[in-house]
Amino acid sequence: MYIINDHPILQFSRDKKVTFYYNGRPLEWYEHDPIAVALHANGIKVLSYTKKYHRPRGFFCAIGKCSSCFMIVDGMPNVRTCITPVREGMQIQTQHGLGKFSENLSHVTARTEEPLNLQTEVLVVGGGPAGLCACLEALESGCSVTLVDESLQLGGQLIKQTHKFFGSSQDFAGVRGIEIAKILQQRLSPHIDSGQLKVFSNTSAVAYYEKENLLLCEQSERRLLLIRPETIIVSTGAMEKFVPFVGNDLVGVYGAGAVQTLMNVYGVLPGKKVLMVGAGNIGLIVSYQLLQAGAEVVAIVELAPSVGGYWVHAAKVRRLNVPILLKHTVKKVIGEGEVEGALIQQVDDEGNFIGEEKYIGCDTVCLAAGLSPTVELFWQANCEMVYVNELGGFVPKRDLTLRTSNPRLWVAGDVAGIEEATTAMLEGRIAGLSVARNLGKIDEESYRKKLENYWDRLNQLRMGETAYRIRRGLKQAFFEQASSLVRFPEEEIYPSQQDEEFQSGVLSQSMVNIVSPPMDLWKKKKGGLVVIECPQKIPCDPCHTNCPTGAILPFENINDVPKIDYSKCTGCGLCVAACPGLACFVIDMSGEQAILKLPYEMLPRPAVGDRVSCLDRYGREVARSRIVVVQEPRKDKTYVVHVPIPKELAMHVRAAKVIRDG
Amino acid sequence: MDEKIFVCRCEEVTLEEVRKYIQMGFTSFNELKRLLRVGMGPCQGRGCREIVLREISKATKIPISQLNPGTFRPPSKPLRLGLIGPDRQEPQLQTGMTSDPQTRSG
């Protein structure tokens, strides 16, 4: 019941089934997937019982960081089942407390291999967007590089991002995260073939010994790596923050990233009814992805008075009938061992509970209340650290080349401060470049040029209105004060203050008027005119770069809201398919009925003639209609469907849902 | 169902315990770590450290940025002893000390 067989965007590689044994019971799942996933797919969420209170435990982070997924595997206790692949004949047992070794210890120790001693010019720890780009930059400059990564697949969190990225088209905007991961890997592969890059996956960096300049890693629980690098780029990413509330350790309370891993990497759903805690970008994106995967999101609760993520992400889930409850928090998760529901309540500005408690039935609670940078290696390396709330916690101080106070260590990506993948990739570039220069691999002039170019792009991406916290945080994270390279806006740009509806992702009426095309032209224009509901200054340009007629004007600043020359718009709908926020619509008012051209990324896949329920910005059904045209302009699984609706609903309907029965 | 709020999943330390010990005057992460085992479980404090520091900060009115977040000792994840030991033969149930008190005291 938890297995996703059909998905609007993803296909899951399920090659070969293996039989494994769970407490002696034979079960089947696909080779190479983690044990914890194989168990979930078989409906088993309880992995262990705790040592003190004997409480059932499931996994929480799913990326090898939280250690909540320990089980006894082939006689060995404390195996992290979220990053250990299932194999034919594997014996998996529920672990009680610290677990026990099996009687047959020789069997347990048999797989141990001799430690591997390695030297390398550049060591990159963590193969996410920052780490992969750091590798590429260092390799392109001629360095020899070693990459260690904890997961089974390279790409970090990119491998679970089904949405298209924001940012500049130069830096992958409009491309889905999963595709970016593939592109980066493709670019790395010639370097692997040539031997210039060595990759160790499923390998955790566990210790750094400063005096010996030794980084100790462990691969797949069977081999030690002793690496002596000349330079180290640490891009270890982050982990979901754990949140204190009653029942926060119940089985079914997951970090949002864990839910993404489960459903988007392996095609297994954590549950059917999900309560999302947190309306930052992760909470909003994962909610949308849960809908794509076939789950119901019963609500998103957010402590703050407005969504913290991009407004367009909020609008996307609101119009699919997901309520976003601002100034609300989860008070208690209820269930006997596994989640059955949750009590939520409103809070006032001081954080005190007010009003009635509300019960929400759900089988999964997904925590998206922020991330904490994974910084242990920096502490071990005696780097100067600083606590910056806006960046997610303690982070290493760095200079403009992202070098820390320990001259051997550089930092890039979320571990330098929680942002997003587009900025992480540029940070990786900067760190890789600086390392190459340090090793004498690049001449001063090209180094300068490239460094300035990367900083220019990074500065642009950080000029949006939701990035004001990041900017405030970054001011504390550098050794130097803002220099010629790091730029901040002359006057700080804060998120626009609007009414409460707007803050939760619904366009207010005054703004509806602003985004409506001029009626005299609109009525005459066959094919329709574009309506862009993108009221927030965020770094994004695919609507412009994909517009073939120049109707969507070039951006002076990539964070500007789109401007339209309606006389040039032909209503082609290419922007509808390209917009990462699904905020572009084309509406043809030239006929008797309005024809609405909408983006569509859900199941069931749309076909001409399908009956649809037409939903407004709140997700309420306001009409029924039939699809008259289905296009897939970019061949990337974002469909553009044409739906006729009464003209008076043209500025109300913003989503369509295919109805297959009844 | 009980009303426990967990701060540390690994060592099952509750918010109530952390607050109680802070009230008793243990206002550094390292002290709480030794007394309650926060940060000593297999995740090495990745989940609990910040919650504990926030509680210390609230009680002492010292901003988190000025608190000592505790010592980060390697390894940052559980390692099999068999991987680190000098020889990789089958482990014996020996501690290096003999059970004979005569030879042990030396």
Side-chain angles (χ1 to χ4, degrees):
Chain A
M1 71 186 265
Y2 296 107
I3 300 165
I4 304 165
N5 288 315
D6 195 11
H7 191 282
I9 310 291
L10 298 165
Q11 271 177 317
F12 303 103
S13 57
R14 289 174 177 155
D15 312 330
K16 195 183 146 200
K17 262 195 179 170
V18 293
T19 301
F20 61 99
Y21 298 87
Y22 165 70
N23 293 334
R25 201 171 106 208
L27 296 174
E28 285 188 323
W29 190 244
Y30 298 90
E31 204 176 32
H32 306 306
D33 284 4
I35 296 165
V37 170
L39 290 172
H40 259 78
N42 281 280
I44 295 153
K45 297 186 189 179
V46 178
L47 309 179
S48 64
Y49 289 87
T50 60
K51 59 178 176 183
K52 211 195 262 177
Y53 300 117
H54 312 289
R55 293 168 77 93
R57 257 308 131 74
F59 69 59
F60 177 72
C61 84
I63 50 174
K65 297 197 180 200
C66 80
S67 302
S68 283
C69 60
F70 283 168
M71 296 185 84
I72 301 173
V73 177
D74 286 341
M76 190 150 85
N78 303 319
V79 172
R80 289 183 293 176
T81 56
C82 76
I83 54 167
T84 304
V86 68
R87 279 186 291 268
E88 177 69 38
M90 210 173 222
Q91 296 282 347
I92 295 149
Q93 286 164 279
T94 308
Q95 180 166 325
H96 292 267
L98 296 172
K100 280 202 176 83
F101 281 97
S102 76
E103 298 294 308
N104 182 1
L105 278 176
S106 62
H107 165 66
V108 171
T109 52
R111 286 199 307 268
T112 305
E113 292 172 24
E114 283 302 308
L116 189 67
N117 278 288
L118 276 174
Q119 293 195 331
T120 181
E121 285 181 334
V122 182
L123 172 67
V124 177
V125 184
L132 295 184
C133 286
C135 284
L136 275 171
E137 187 69 38
L139 290 163
E140 287 160 9
S141 304
C143 304
S144 73
V145 180
T146 302
L147 168 65
V148 296
D149 182 59
E150 203 159 39
S151 311
L152 297 170
Q153 295 175 44
L154 289 183
Q157 309 308 299
L158 287 175
I159 62 168
K160 42 184 110 156
Q161 307 307 337
T162 53
H163 66 287
K164 294 175 183 173
F165 272 45
F166 293 75
S168 155
S169 295
Q170 188 185 2
D171 294 312
F172 299 114
V175 182
R176 296 188 200 282
I178 42 171
E179 300 301 327
I180 299 174
K182 283 183 206 158
I183 295 168
L184 294 177
Q185 286 190 50
Q186 275 163 13
R187 291 187 188 166
L188 285 172
S189 67
H191 301 284
I192 297 174
D193 298 342
S194 74
Q196 195 192 354
L197 171 66
K198 287 195 181 72
V199 179
F200 295 91
S201 55
N202 203 203
T203 301
S204 314
V206 294
Y208 179 66
Y209 297 98
E210 164 65 11
K211 243 205 240 143
E212 294 81 5
N213 180 32
L214 172 71
L215 194 103
L216 190 71
C217 298
E218 183 226 42
Q219 187 176 32
S220 308
E221 317 256 350
R222 63 180 168 79
R223 181 163 77 164
L224 273 193
L225 270 60
L226 300 135
I227 309 179
R228 290 179 172 79
E230 287 178 47
T231 56
I232 309 174
I233 298 170
V234 180
S235 45
T236 41
M239 190 185 104
E240 226 87 45
K241 282 192 207 292
F242 191 46
V243 186
F245 53 79
V246 177
N248 59 351
D249 74 325
L250 286 183
V251 176
V253 179
Y254 301 93
V259 167
Q260 272 190 314
T261 307
L262 201 58
M263 70 180 174
N264 291 350
V265 182
Y266 301 108
V268 178
L269 269 179
K272 295 285 185 192
K273 289 180 81 166
V274 183
L275 173 68
M276 183 65 65
V277 181
N281 270 333
I282 296 180
L284 297 171
I285 289 168
V286 176
S287 294
Y288 184 74
Q289 293 174 352
L290 278 159
L291 300 175
Q292 287 184 310
E296 181 191 350
V297 179
V298 287
I300 302 174
V301 292
E302 168 59 56
L303 200 57
S306 65
V307 297
Y310 291 162
W311 184 90
V312 285
H313 279 315
K316 226 155 82 169
V317 292
R318 285 302 304 267
R319 72 174 83 110
L320 294 171
N321 201 19
V322 175
I324 297 180
L325 305 170
L326 300 174
K327 293 192 195 171
H328 273 74
T329 190
V330 57
K331 212 178 170 188
K332 182 175 181 178
V333 174
I334 298 163
E336 287 299 321
E338 294 189 24
V339 173
E340 290 159 22
L343 287 180
I344 61 165
Q345 198 172 5
Q346 201 176 347
V347 286
D348 64 15
D349 294 335
E350 276 77 50
N352 307 308
F353 289 109
I354 48 170
E356 298 261 301
E357 287 181 351
K358 275 174 258 176
Y359 177 82
I360 289 192
C362 57
D363 59 13
T364 303
V365 175
C366 194
L367 300 186
L371 299 166
S372 296
T374 305
V375 290
E376 297 93 5
L377 291 178
F378 296 108
W379 287 107
Q380 292 177 12
N382 289 315
C383 294
E384 188 185 338
M385 304 294 282
V386 55
Y387 182 87
V388 186
N389 190 29
E390 291 88 347
L391 297 181
F394 282 99
V395 290
K397 283 201 125 180
R398 74 295 304 250
D399 67 11
L400 293 169
T401 69
L402 303 184
R403 197 178 199 176
T404 68
S405 66
N406 181 329
R408 234 179 246 136
L409 268 76
W410 278 254
V411 61
D414 270 0
V415 69
I418 308 303
E419 287 189 75
E420 38 156 4
T422 42
T423 49
M425 288 188 276
L426 282 164
E427 286 196 334
R429 287 278 173 186
I430 291 172
L433 181 70
S434 173
V435 158
R437 181 221 192 187
N438 204 254
L439 292 165
K441 303 275 181 182
I442 181 167
D443 68 88
E444 203 59 19
E445 204 198 317
S446 20
Y447 163 74
R448 266 284 135 197
K449 253 193 203 156
K450 279 187 142 185
L451 186 66
E452 275 170 27
N453 174 278
Y454 291 147
W455 268 110
D456 274 350
R457 284 148 71 180
L458 204 45
N459 287 326
Q460 282 185 27
L461 292 175
R462 287 172 172 160
M463 288 286 182
E465 57 182 72
T466 62
Y468 76 102
R469 283 173 56 82
I470 303 287
R471 289 192 292 269
R472 204 160 62 192
L474 285 171
K475 285 177 183 163
Q476 303 163 55
F478 286 95
F479 294 124
E480 303 102 304
Q481 287 304 306
S483 80
S484 55
L485 285 176
V486 191
R487 278 198 315 275
F488 296 106
E490 278 166 24
E491 253 177 71
E492 191 48 272
I493 312 157
Y494 294 108
S496 33
Q497 293 298 311
Q498 298 281 339
D499 56 33
E500 209 167 293
E501 285 305 313
F502 178 81
Q503 303 296 8
S504 70
V506 177
L507 208 64
S508 32
Q509 192 52 47
S510 58
M511 297 186 109
V512 171
N513 298 335
I514 294 170
V515 300
S516 301
M519 192 45 94
D520 47 341
L521 183 67
W522 203 3
K523 277 190 293 197
K524 287 183 282 187
K525 198 91 175 200
K526 281 212 164 63
L529 289 175
V530 67
V531 172
I532 304 184
E533 303 196 350
C534 181
Q536 198 179 38
K537 287 184 173 162
I538 53 170
C540 192
D541 69 2
C543 59
H544 158 65
T545 55
N546 283 278
C547 178
T549 63
I552 300 172
L553 301 174
F555 289 81
E556 275 171 45
N557 176 330
I558 197 167
N559 295 285
D560 288 343
V561 297
K563 289 186 196 71
I564 303 156
D565 178 350
Y566 290 108
S567 68
K568 290 184 182 163
C569 180
T570 60
C572 69
L574 287 180
C575 56
V576 178
C579 172
L582 304 189
C584 295
F585 307 89
V586 167
I587 305 168
D588 187 343
M589 298 289 261
S590 64
E592 242 170 70
Q593 278 197 304
I595 307 281
L596 191 56
K597 304 179 186 178
L598 293 161
Y600 193 103
E601 296 184 326
M602 292 283 157
L603 288 182
R605 267 177 209 86
V608 173
D610 277 347
R611 274 155 50 76
V612 287
S613 167
C614 302
L615 310 174
D616 69 2
R617 294 186 183 86
Y618 296 86
R620 299 176 299 210
E621 180 178 296
V622 289
R624 289 214 167 180
S625 182
R626 277 183 196 280
I627 296 177
V628 291
V629 175
V630 177
Q631 297 167 312
E632 192 190 356
R634 288 158 58 89
K635 304 287 167 241
D636 65 355
K637 298 182 182 174
T638 302
Y639 296 99
V640 177
V641 299
H642 298 202
V643 178
I645 48 165
K647 276 188 172 169
E648 64 271 20
L649 291 177
M651 285 308 281
H652 292 280
V653 174
R654 284 298 170 267
K657 211 169 162 180
V658 172
I659 315 162
R660 277 285 151 81
D661 36 62
Chain B
M1 192 188 113
D2 61 43
E3 300 289 300
K4 285 192 184 72
I5 297 176
F6 286 98
V7 164
C8 162
R9 293 166 69 88
C10 306
E11 297 293 330
E12 295 172 273
V13 184
T14 63
L15 190 59
E16 200 186 347
E17 285 171 286
V18 168
R19 286 184 175 160
K20 194 175 103 193
Y21 275 74
I22 291 172
Q23 282 305 311
M24 284 158 70
F26 302 105
T27 52
S28 79
F29 188 84
N30 273 346
E31 284 173 307
L32 294 167
K33 177 174 167 180
R34 289 185 184 112
L35 292 161
L36 294 172
R37 291 190 58 80
V38 284
M40 289 182 93
C43 93
Q44 291 287 287
R46 282 168 174 174
C48 67
R49 189 178 315 271
E50 211 182 309
I51 304 175
V52 172
L53 290 176
R54 208 156 49 217
E55 289 300 320
I56 296 174
S57 173
K58 251 193 262 170
T60 60
K61 310 267 186 275
I62 301 169
I64 298 182
S65 54
Q66 285 164 39
L67 294 174
N68 180 346
T71 316
F72 292 76
R73 290 181 207 287
S76 53
K77 63 151 276 195
L79 275 188
R80 283 167 63 186
L81 282 173
L83 285 179
I84 308 173
D87 59 275
R88 247 149 295 284
Q89 286 163 13
E90 183 172 334
Q92 313 264 307
L93 292 174
Q94 278 188 359
T95 58
M97 292 188 266
T98 75
S99 53
D100 180 356
Q102 295 274 304
T103 49
R104 194 171 63 186
S105 56

